[in-house]
C-alpha cells in the first residue's frame, strides 16, 4: 500500500493495535514483486484462521492473499461456508452477505467501483465454496460470466458442503457416500470448468493448491485478465480433510494424489485468444521491467 | 469520485446540484399529466443516482424500462437487467457496499423472490431505495393490485413508506434518499404503492425543475465502512461471531439487531420533517375515522363524501410511513373516535392488526372492508359497512330482482 494509503496519525500510533502498526510498517502492499515467497517474511493479510487444523483452505487463503497483484485496491466477496469463517480475519475489505449470491454481489460491487473510480484499478475477487458456486448460486455464477463482468471467481472445491457437515454437492464425485447421498451420489461431478469456458470466461484453471508458485501464477493471471478483458474462473481443490477422514497432516498428500495426470485435478487450463495476447504483452513488460531494474542496479554499482 | 455535497456544482448530466430542502420546498414546480411509471422516471432523473438494476415484472416493468432510458441519456451511472429479483437485490447490495446510490423497482412475486436480501440490506446498513408497486402474490398467478407483500416487508428492518398518489411518489423518492442516507439512519427504504392504481393511471403531478438534482451520495458518511479499500481495514476479529455459541456472540448479534431497529426509530425525526408527519389527518374531531394507507385512503375519501351527503361525519387518517410506525400519532388521532374503519387491499388485514396493536380499546377497530386479488374497493362498499356498523339500514347496492 502503498504506505501512502495507510498511515497512522502519530498521536494515535501507541494506541493502535500492534497488528495495525505492523501492517503499516511491514505490509507488502504496493510491491510489484509481492508473492507467496513473502509469506512468513513480511506482514501477511491473514494471520490466524478458525478452520480445522491442517485444512488446505488455510494454505490456499495464504497463497491467494500473498499473490493479489494490488491488495490495496482489491475487494473480495465471499459466501457462507468454511471460507466465511476466515474472511473476518482478512486484512482487506471483504463482503459476506448471503449464501450463493457472491457473483451477484460482485457484479454490483465492480460496477459501483467502476462508476465511482473511473480510470483507477479496483479489483474484485470472489472466493466461495463449491456449494455456493455450483449449486445454490449457479445461476448467478453463470449469468455474471454471460454478462462478461470483469472480476475473478475462485471456487474452493472440497467436493461437499463442509460447513454444514459433509452433505452431497454438485462437485462431489459420483458414487461418493455422504450425508444426503446415502447410497452414493448418483450423477457425475459437474463440469464447471468446461461450462465456464462455454459461458465466456477468458481464463479457466482447474488444479489443487499443492504448489504455491503455481497458485501465485494463476491468481495473478486471473486477476489481470479479469481487470482488462472479462470474467475468469479458478477451481481449486482444497480437500475437506475432516469429512474425507484424513488427519491434519494429510491434506497436502491428498492434493498431490488428486493432481496426477489421470486424476480429476490434473492441471487443466483454458485461455482465450484475447487473454493469451494480454499475457504475452504482460510477460514482455515484466521482462523489460526486470532488465531495467538490473541496469539500474549495475549503474548504481558502477 | 463525489464524496462531498457540492451544492451549486454541475453533475455529469449537467444538472445543478441543489440543496435538497430548497429543491423540494422552494423551487418552482411545473404541473404535468403523467402516469405513475413516468413519475418514477422523472423523480429518478433528479435523484443523482449511481446505479439502477432492473428486472421485468408487472406492474413495474415500464418504470424499470424508463429508468433505462435515463441511463442512455446519461442521468444514471450504470444500469442493467439482472437475472432474477434475488440476484438483482444482491447486485443492488454489492453496488451499495461499493458506495453507490442505488435504485431498483419490483413487485409481488419479485418482492417475495428477493426476500432473503432485505434483512441483509438492513443489517449491512445499505441505503438502497426499492420501489414496490404492489401486486398479488397468491396462486393461481395474479398480476392485479394487492398489498399483501407489504406485510412481509414490515419486519425486515427496512424503512417502509406507502404512497397514496403519484405526487407522493414523486416527492418521496427524492425525500426517501435524504432520510435513508442520514448517518444515524443509513437503512434501505421500500417505497410502496398500489400497482396499476398508481403506476398505470395518469394524474396531475407538480415536478421540480429538471435541471436540478440531489447532492450525490457520500458513502463516507455511512456508519459502517464502505467496501472500496480507500481506507483499508484492520483485522479486528479473532473469531467470527457465527462460530461461537457463547454469550458474547449472542450479545453481538442481539445488539446489532437492536441497533438496526434503533436506526429505524432514529429515522422518525427525519421522516416527520421531510414528509411533514408520519400521518395526515382530515377532520380529526369525527367519531368515525377511516384509517389506512395507499389508495385505500383515496377510496376512503370518496366514501367520506358519500356519507357526508347523508349527514354522517367522517374523518380520515392517512398513514404515510409504516416503518417507522406512527403509533403515538395514531393513538392521538383516534383518541376520541368511536369507530375506526380500516379499508384494505389484501386478504389478511395486516393494517387493521397493526392499528389494533397500537391503540387502547381496540374493539373500536373494524377490520374492513377488505378486497383482494385485484378487486376494486368501491366507496359505496366502505360507506355501506360504516352504515351497518352504525345500525343504519342500507339500500341494496345493486338490485338482483329478488
Ligand atoms: C439460503 C441458505 N441455505 C442454506 C444455508 C446453509 N449452509 C451454510 S454453508 C452451506 C454449505 C456450504 O458449502 P460450500 O459452498 O461447498 O462451502 P464449504 O463449507 O464446503 O467450504 C450451507 C448449505 C445457508 N446459510 N443459507
Ligand atoms: S470442515 Fe473441512 S473444509 Fe471446513 S475447515 Fe474443516 S477441514 Fe476445512
Ligand atoms: Mg464445499
Amino acid at each position: 500500500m502503498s504506505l501512502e494509503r495507510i498511515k497512522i496519525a502519530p498521536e494515535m500510533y501507541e494506541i493502535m493495535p500492534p497488528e495495525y502498526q505492523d501492517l503499516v510498517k511491514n505490509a507488502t502492499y504496493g510491491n510489484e514483486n509481492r508473492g507467496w515467497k513473502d509469506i512468513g517474511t513480511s506482514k501477511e493479510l491473514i494471520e490466524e484462521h478458525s478452520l480445522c487444523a491442517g485444512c488446505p483452505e488455510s494454505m490456499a487463503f495464504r497463497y491467494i492473499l500473498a499473490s493479489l497483484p494490488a491488495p490495496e485496491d482489491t475487494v473480495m466477496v465471499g459466501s457462507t461456508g468454511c471460507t466465511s469463517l476466515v474472511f473476518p480475519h482478512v486484512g482487506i475489505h471483504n463482503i459476506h452477505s448471503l449464501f450463493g449470491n457472491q457473483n451477484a454481489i460482485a457484479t454490483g460491487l465492480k460496477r459501483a467501483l467502476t462508476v465511482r473510480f473511473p480510470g483507477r484499478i479496483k479489483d474484485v475477487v470472489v472466493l466461495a465454496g463449491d456449494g455456493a458456486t455450483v449449486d445454490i448460486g449457479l445461476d448467478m455464477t453463470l449469468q455474471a460470466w454471460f454478462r462478461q463482468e470483469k472480476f475473478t471467481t475462485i471456487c474452493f472445491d472440497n467436493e461437499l458442503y463442509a460447513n454444514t457437515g459433509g452433505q452431497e454437492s454438485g462437485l462431489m464425485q459420483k458414487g461418493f457416500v455422504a450425508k444426503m447421498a446415502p447410497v452414493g451420489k448418483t450423477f457425475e461431478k459437474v463440469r464447471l470448468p468446461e461450462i465456464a469456458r462455454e459461458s465466456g470466461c477468458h481464463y479457466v484453471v482447474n488444479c489443487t493448491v499443492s504448489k504455491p508458485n503455481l497458485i501465485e501464477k494463476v491468481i495473478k493471471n486471473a486477476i489481470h485478465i479479469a481487470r482488462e478483458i472479462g470474467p475468469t474462473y479458478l477451481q481449486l481443490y482444497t480437500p475437506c480433510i475432516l469429512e474425507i477422514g484424513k488427519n491434519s497432516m494429510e491434506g497436502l498428500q491428498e492434493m498431490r494424489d488428486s493432481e496426477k495426470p489421470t486424476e480429476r485435478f490434473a492441471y487443466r487450463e483454458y485461455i482465450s485468444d484475447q487473454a493469451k495476447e494480454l499475457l504475452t504483452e504482460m510477460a514482455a513488460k515484466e521482462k523489460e521491467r526486470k532488465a531495467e531494474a538490473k541496469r539500474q542496479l549495475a549503474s548504481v554499482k558502477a | 469520485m463525489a464524496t462531498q455535497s457540492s451544492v451549486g456544482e454541475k453533475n455529469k448530466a449537467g444538472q445543478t446540484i441543489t440543496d435538497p430542502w430548497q429543491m423540494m420546498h422552494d423551487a418552482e414546480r411545473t404541473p404535468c399529466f403523467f402516469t405513475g411509471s413516468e413519475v418514477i422516471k422523472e423523480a429518478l432523473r433528479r435523484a443523482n443516482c449511481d446505479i439502477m438494476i432492473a428486472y421485468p415484472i408487472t406492474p413495474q416493468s415500464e418504470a424499470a424500462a424508463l429508468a433505462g432510458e435515463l441511463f442512455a441519456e446519461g442521468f444514471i451511472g450504470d444500469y442493467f437487467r439482472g437475472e432474477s429479483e434475488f440476484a438483482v437485490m444482491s447486485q443492488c447490495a454489492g453496488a451499495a457496499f461499493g458506495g453507490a446510490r442505488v435504485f431498483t423497482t419490483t413487485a409481488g412475486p419479485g418482492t417475495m423472490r428477493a426476500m432473503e436480501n432485505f434483512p441483509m440490506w438492513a443489517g449491512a446498513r445499505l441505503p438502497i431505495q426499492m420501489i414496490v408497486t404492489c401486486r398479488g402474490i397468491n396462486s393461481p398467478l395474479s398480476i392485479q393490485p394487492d398489498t399483501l407483500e407489504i406485510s412481509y416487508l414490515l419486519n425486515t428492518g427496512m424503512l417502509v413508506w406507502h404512497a397514496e398518489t403519484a405526487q407522493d411518489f414523486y416527492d418521496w423518492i427524492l425525500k426517501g434518499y435524504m432520510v435513508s442516507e442520514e448517518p444515524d439512519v443509513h437503512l434501505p427504504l421500500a417505497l410502496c404503492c398500489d400497482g396499476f392504481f398508481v403506476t398505470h393511471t395518469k394524474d396531475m403531478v407538480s415536478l421540480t425543475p429538471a435541471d436540478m438534482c440531489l447532492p450525490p451520495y457520500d458513502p463516507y458518511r455511512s456508519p459502517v465502512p464502505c467496501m472500496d479499500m480507500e481506507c483499508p481495514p484492520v483485522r479486528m476479529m479473532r473469531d467470527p461471531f457465527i462460530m461461537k455459541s457463547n454469550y458474547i456472540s449472542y450479545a453481538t448479534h442481539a445488539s446489532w439487531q437492536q441497533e438496526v431497529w434503533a436506526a429505524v426509530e432514529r429515522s422518525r425525526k427525519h421522516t416527520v420533517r421531510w414528509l411533514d408527519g408520519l400521518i395526515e389527518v382530515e377532520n380529526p374531531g369525527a367519531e368515525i375515522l377511516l384509517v389506512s394507507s395507499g389508495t385505500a385512503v383515496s377510496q376512503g375519501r370518496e366514501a367520506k363524501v358519500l356519507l357526508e351527503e347523508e349527514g354522517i361525519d367522517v374523518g380520515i387518517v392517512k398513514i404515510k410511513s409504516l416503518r417507522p410506525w406512527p403509533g403515538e400519532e395514531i393513538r392521538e388521532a383516534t383518541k376520541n373516535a368511536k369507530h375506526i374503519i380500516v379499508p384494505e387491499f389484501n386478504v389478511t388485514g395486516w393494517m387493521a392488526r397493526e392499528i389494533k396493536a397500537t391503540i387502547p380499546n381496540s374493539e373500536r377497530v373494524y377490520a374492513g372492508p377488505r378486497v383482494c386479488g385485484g378487486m376494486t374497493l368501491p366507496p359505496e362498499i366502505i360507506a355501506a359497512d360504516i352504515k351497518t356498523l352504525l345500525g343504519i339500514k342500507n339500500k341494496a347496492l345493486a338490485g338482483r330482482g329478488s
Side-chain angles (χ1 to χ4, degrees), chain B residues 235-349:
Chain B
R235 290 184 302 276
M236 276 178 298
M237 285 233 213
R238 292 288 173 194
D239 285 306
F241 292 118
I242 185 179
M243 282 287 280
K244 296 290 172 192
S245 296
N246 62 21
Y247 183 74
I248 292 177
S249 164
Y250 307 150
T252 307
H253 287 292
S255 57
W256 189 244
Q257 291 194 53
Q258 287 165 348
E259 159 52 21
V260 167
W261 283 95
V264 174
E265 276 309 302
R266 293 194 297 264
S267 75
R268 192 179 287 276
K269 57 184 178 295
H270 305 295
T271 316
V272 166
R273 178 165 172 260
W274 281 102
L275 298 195
D276 197 18
L278 304 185
I279 66 171
E280 228 170 72
V281 188
E282 204 182 305
N283 193 16
E287 285 186 356
I288 303 163
L289 282 183
L290 278 155
V291 187
S292 199
S293 61
T295 54
V297 178
S298 320
Q299 298 307 91
R301 289 186 214 286
E302 299 296 322
K304 178 178 188 302
V305 173
L306 294 179
L307 290 163
E308 272 166 3
E309 282 167 10
E310 299 188 43
I312 302 170
D313 189 32
V314 175
I316 304 271
V317 177
K318 165 175 167 172
I319 298 175
K320 298 190 269 192
S321 165
L322 303 166
R323 292 292 179 269
W325 174 248
E328 201 49 58
E329 290 90 335
I330 293 171
R331 270 192 294 281
E332 179 61 27
T334 57
K335 68 173 187 247
N336 298 321
K338 292 216 168 96
H339 302 285
I340 297 161
I341 320 299
V342 186
E344 289 184 66
F345 280 97
N346 67 79
V347 71
T348 63

Side-chain angles (χ1 to χ4, degrees), chain A residues 89-102:
Chain A
H89 304 268
V90 169
I92 61 173
H93 277 153
N94 58 84
I95 299 172
H96 173 270
S97 60
L98 299 173
F99 180 43
N101 68 343
Q102 58 283 343

Side-chain angles (χ1 to χ4, degrees), chain B residues 150-163:
Chain B
I150 295 179
S151 64
Y152 291 85
L153 292 168
L154 294 179
N155 294 319
T156 56
M158 293 178 76
L159 307 178
V160 184
W161 298 355
H162 195 178

Side-chain angles (χ1 to χ4, degrees), chain A residues 51-52 55 57 82 158 162-163 238-243:
Chain A
L51 299 166
C52 300
C55 175
E57 283 196 2
C82 285
N158 54 16
N163 198 231
T238 54
C240 173
I241 48 175
L242 186 77
E243 291 296 337

